[in-house]
């Protein structure tokens, strides 16, 4: 593989426009996941590439000119390059190849080739070398895998044995230790993702990944101040390239977890404006979901909300799971104007996403999360319009929050309307709330009692008639409290006339001393 890379760089220099186009197209095919089952066997590399039909590629490592593609090209084509990039990425970073190629020299990547032959002996590392860290971590991982008695203990041991051991072996220097652990976490994430197959529950794998994502977030915050120091610039530049590649290469169902890594590192580690602008240039021409998310986050950090929200609108429902983080950030910084702009576009997307989730528990979980964000904002700013709008749109999953809000703000008539809309029985409502409403706004309860009486009469049995009569007594007291006796008499006359064939109920009315006067 290293021999083919050297041939590639020497034969197809990037000073040539055509070669640059081949690189661009090859990268695009690779990053969009169009390469299928690329692998190396002996001195050959084989792969299939989806591009207006399936293209079959055979690469000869020892004699690059003998490589072939079913597209019919007689020289290097994007399909061949995409296949090679796929094989290369399985053990090395794309950045190391591209950097060496751009500089028209194999000097930058030959150390990587050499390291491949001694990887198994990488028992130590250089504090200032990212490639040395990764070789060391990989060696430790090989040792760990060979020591476990069963594959069934692999993932558990990765979190409870392998990574804790790496912590003890991390650099002691405070300014670089978090960066080492960040890359160690990212390495572990890759191993977890690689181990995923259809026989394992997705959520089990996702839960393990999130432990390492949490570590990335923690270590990123630890790097916030030391990342400003220029002595880390070389390490940080390599890290930026590596993390970008990992995101662009990541496929579903774990794009979200890898994007979290990208977010957290750009929030706290690569936070310089000139780096963000440079990163946006690196992402130009990339149209995958992963690239669009990366661009959106960078624009968000640069406060270029208009451009960021264009991407949100463009990607619509695909963005729904990712919007919570940006909204949370705006709430935390109390950025009222920005939050309103983001919610104007995001709330319909998030609402639709919540309603489309397959289970009630998931819908309720996401609703609770979103409303918590908006509650915090409403309490800080004393402006609750956005919170109320969201609760209305998220019914019935927002019932708990909406019911509490209406009662606490003494919107008792809307509270009653909500109970009727939900179809709740009067007997099932909390007594202390009904008592409070009777004191303050008895008229608001009229609809609840009228509905409860009608439902009791529909049951057509003596027990229900007694219940209806009892409810009538309470309702009568409410009419008296509101000084609406004339309306009460009209209601009672209509009720008696409409139920005159219900003899048992008429008897209950007589017992209850309901007369026509």
């Amino acid at each position: 593989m290293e021999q083919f890379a050297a041939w590639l760089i020497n034969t197809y220099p990037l000073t040539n426009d055509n070669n640059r186009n081949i690189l661009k197209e090859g990268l695009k095919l690779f990053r969009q996941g169009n390469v299928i089952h690329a692998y190396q066997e002996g001195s050959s590399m084989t792969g299939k590439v989806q591009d207006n039909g399936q293209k079959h590629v055979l690469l000869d490592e020892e004699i690059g000119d003998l490589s072939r593609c079913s597209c019919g090209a007689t020289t290097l084509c994007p399909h061949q390059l995409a296949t090679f990039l796929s094989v290369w990425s399985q053990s090395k970073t794309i950045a190391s190849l591209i950097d060496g190629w751009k500089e028209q020299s194999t000097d930058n990547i030959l150390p990587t080739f050499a390291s491949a032959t001694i990887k198994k002996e990488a028992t130590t590392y250089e504090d200032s070398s990212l490639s040395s860290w990764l070789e060391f971590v990989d060696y430790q991982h090989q040792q760990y895998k060979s020591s476990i008695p069963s594959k069934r203990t692999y993932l558990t041991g990765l979190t409870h044995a392998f990574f804790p051991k790496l912590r003890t072996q991390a650099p002691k220097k405070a300014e670089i230790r978090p960066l080492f652990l960040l890359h160690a976490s990212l390495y572990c994430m890759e191993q977890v993702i690689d181990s995923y197959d259809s026989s394992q529950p997705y959520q089990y794998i996702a839960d393990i990944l999130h432990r390492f994502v949490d570590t990335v977030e923690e270590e990123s915050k630890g790097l916030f101040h030391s990342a400003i120091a220029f002595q880390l610039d070389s390490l940080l530049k390599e890290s930026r390239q590596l993390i970008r590649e990992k995101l662009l290469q990541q496929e579903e169902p774990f794009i979200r977890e890898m994007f979290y890594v990208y977010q957290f590192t750009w929030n706290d580690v690569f936070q310089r404006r000139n780096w963000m602008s440079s990163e946006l240039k690196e992402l130009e021409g990339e149209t995958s979901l992963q690239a669009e998310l990366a661009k959106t986050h960078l624009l968000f950090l640069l406060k270029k909300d208009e451009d960021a929200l264009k991407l949100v609108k463009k990607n619509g429902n695909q963005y729904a799971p990712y919007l919570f983080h940006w909204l949370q950030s705006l709430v935390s910084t109390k950025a009222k104007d920005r939050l309103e702009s983001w919610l104007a576009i995001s709330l319909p997307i998030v609402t639709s996403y919540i309603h489309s989730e397959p289970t009630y528990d998931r819908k309720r979980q996401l609703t609770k999360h979103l409303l918590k964000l908006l509650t915090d904002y409403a309490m800080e700013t004393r402006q609750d319009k956005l919170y109320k709008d969201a609760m209305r749109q998220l019914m019935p999953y927002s019932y708990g929050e909406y019911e509490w809000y209406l009662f606490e703000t003494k919107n008792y008539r809307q509270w009653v309307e909500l109970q009727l809309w939900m179809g709740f029985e009067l007997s099932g409502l909390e007594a202390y709330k009904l008592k409070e409403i009777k004191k303050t706004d008895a008229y608001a309860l009229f609809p609840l009692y009228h509905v409860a009486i009608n439902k009791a009469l529909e049951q057509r049995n003596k027990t229900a008639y007694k219940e209806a009569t009892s409810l009538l007594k309470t309702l009568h007291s409410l009419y008296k409290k509101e000084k609406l006796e004339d309306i009460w008499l009209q209601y009672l006359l209509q009720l008696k006339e409409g139920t005159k064939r219900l003899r048992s109920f008429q008897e209950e009315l007589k017992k209850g001393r309901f007369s026509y006067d």
Side-chain angles (χ1 to χ4, degrees), residues 66-83:
L66 295 181
S67 299
R68 292 290 179 266
C69 175
S70 62
C71 73
T74 56
T75 57
L76 181 73
C77 68
H79 312 113
Q80 294 178 39
L81 182 56
T83 299

Side-chain angles (χ1 to χ4, degrees), residues 174 178-179 182 213-227 263-271 325 332:
L179 188 59
L182 188 157
V213 170
D214 289 344
T215 302
V216 169
E217 182 180 17
E218 179 186 346
E219 301 303 337
S220 294
K221 291 184 185 303
L223 277 165
F224 181 79
H225 294 293
S226 57
Q263 279 187 309
F264 294 141
T265 51
W266 276 98
N267 286 350
D268 293 316
V269 184
F270 314 130
Q271 73 274 44
H325 177 91
S332 300

Side-chain angles (χ1 to χ4, degrees), residues 51 77 91 100 102 144 192 203 490:
D51 183 29
C77 68
S91 59
K102 284 179 178 178
Y144 160 69
V192 174
Q203 195 55 51
Q490 291 178 29

Side-chain angles (χ1 to χ4, degrees), residues 168-323:
T168 66
Q169 298 168 319
K172 304 305 178 187
K173 293 180 181 178
E175 64 271 20
I176 62 172
R177 179 180 173 84
L179 188 59
F180 177 94
L181 292 173
L182 188 157
H183 281 288
S185 301
L186 183 56
Y187 178 91
C188 290
M189 286 180 66
E190 289 184 275
Q191 308 315 309
V192 174
I193 291 171
D194 287 345
S195 72
Y196 175 65
D197 60 54
S198 57
S199 67
Q200 298 166 311
Y202 160 78
Q203 195 55 51
Y204 171 66
I205 299 297
D207 288 345
I208 295 174
L209 282 175
H210 278 273
R211 295 180 194 176
F212 291 113
V213 170
D214 289 344
T215 302
V216 169
E217 182 180 17
E218 179 186 346
E219 301 303 337
S220 294
K221 291 184 185 303
L223 277 165
F224 181 79
H225 294 293
S226 57
I228 300 173
F230 289 106
Q231 63 263 32
L232 291 183
D233 275 9
S234 177
L235 282 170
L236 294 180
K237 180 181 178 182
E238 290 182 87
S239 300
R240 281 160 43 203
Q241 294 171 333
L242 178 65
I243 290 170
R244 182 196 318 127
E245 287 171 13
K246 298 301 180 188
L247 173 62
L248 295 177
Q249 294 166 21
Q250 185 57 56
E251 299 177 354
E252 293 289 14
F254 301 115
I255 290 176
R256 197 180 312 182
E257 287 73 19
M258 199 58 73
F259 178 61
Y260 290 152
V261 170
Y262 190 88
Q263 279 187 309
F264 294 141
T265 51
W266 276 98
N267 286 350
D268 293 316
V269 184
F270 314 130
Q271 73 274 44
R272 300 182 201 171
R273 293 183 68 86
N274 61 320
W275 284 1
M276 293 179 195
S277 300
S278 174
E279 182 77 357
L280 282 168
K281 288 181 181 178
E282 291 286 346
L283 293 165
E284 282 182 2
E286 299 284 353
T287 57
S288 65
L289 173 64
Q290 301 92 310
E292 297 275 83
L293 286 166
K295 293 175 195 175
T296 306
H297 189 57
L298 294 166
L299 292 167
F300 174 84
L301 293 175
L302 289 167
K303 298 185 179 180
K304 295 183 177 182
D305 291 334
E306 187 176 344
D307 292 333
L309 289 171
K310 284 179 183 177
L311 291 173
V312 173
K313 284 191 281 188
K314 173 186 171 184
N315 289 281
N317 290 338
Q318 280 189 299
Y319 262 38
Y322 304 94
L323 289 169

